[in-house]
Amino acid sequence: QVQLVESGGGLVQPGGSLRLSCAASGFSINSYIMSWYRQVPGKERELVALISGIGGTIKYADSVKGRFTISRDDAKNTAALQMNSLKLEDTAVYYCNAIYDRDVWGQGTLVTVSS
């Protein structure tokens, strides 16, 4: 079964950190572009960060540059998003996405930044 499973979401205070993980199964992520998106109720899903196969290209949304770091470990078939200096406006459901010859989405993990 082809799937992505996110983990690591939770409640954190402003200025805190979280690390999201994305575990792929049923396929190898080697050639896939791995991305993290987020969505707030009532708004469109937005791209947070992406990393190409072999990590040659990395892009971030302007709103997270300098605070978030995307990474991948093809040997472990995983991707991750390290989120530092979290802000209230980072609160959202975060989704992992893998795209190449198929488009695979995870179920999402909720990140809540609140004091």
Side-chain angles (χ1 to χ4, degrees), residues 13-112:
Q13 292 185 339
S17 298
L18 280 176
R19 182 177 177 85
L20 305 184
S21 296
C22 173
S25 59
F27 71 106
S28 172
I29 68 168
N30 286 9
S31 297
Y32 282 71
I33 296 173
M34 301 299 296
S35 302
W36 288 93
Y37 287 76
R38 65 186 181 187
Q39 188 169 25
V40 175
K43 293 188 176 181
E44 291 188 358
R45 192 171 293 187
E46 65 168 344
L47 176 66
V48 175
L50 69 82
I51 183 168
S52 66
I54 314 177
T57 298
I58 295 176
K59 294 185 178 180
Y60 295 97
D62 287 343
S63 58
V64 306
K65 281 181 181 177
R67 300 189 297 121
F68 290 12
T69 303
I70 190 171
S71 61
R72 63 189 295 154
D73 187 334
D74 289 356
K76 294 183 179 179
N77 225 28
T78 60
L81 185 69
Q82 178 66 42
M83 306 186 296
N84 299 328
S85 302
L86 283 161
K87 302 177 180 180
L88 296 175
E89 53 264 39
D90 294 320
T91 295
V93 177
Y94 284 72
Y95 296 90
C96 181
N97 172 255
I99 189 164
Y100 176 54
D101 56 347
R102 67 185 85 191
D103 190 1
V104 187
W105 288 90
Q107 82 289 350
T109 186
L110 177 63
V111 171
T112 303

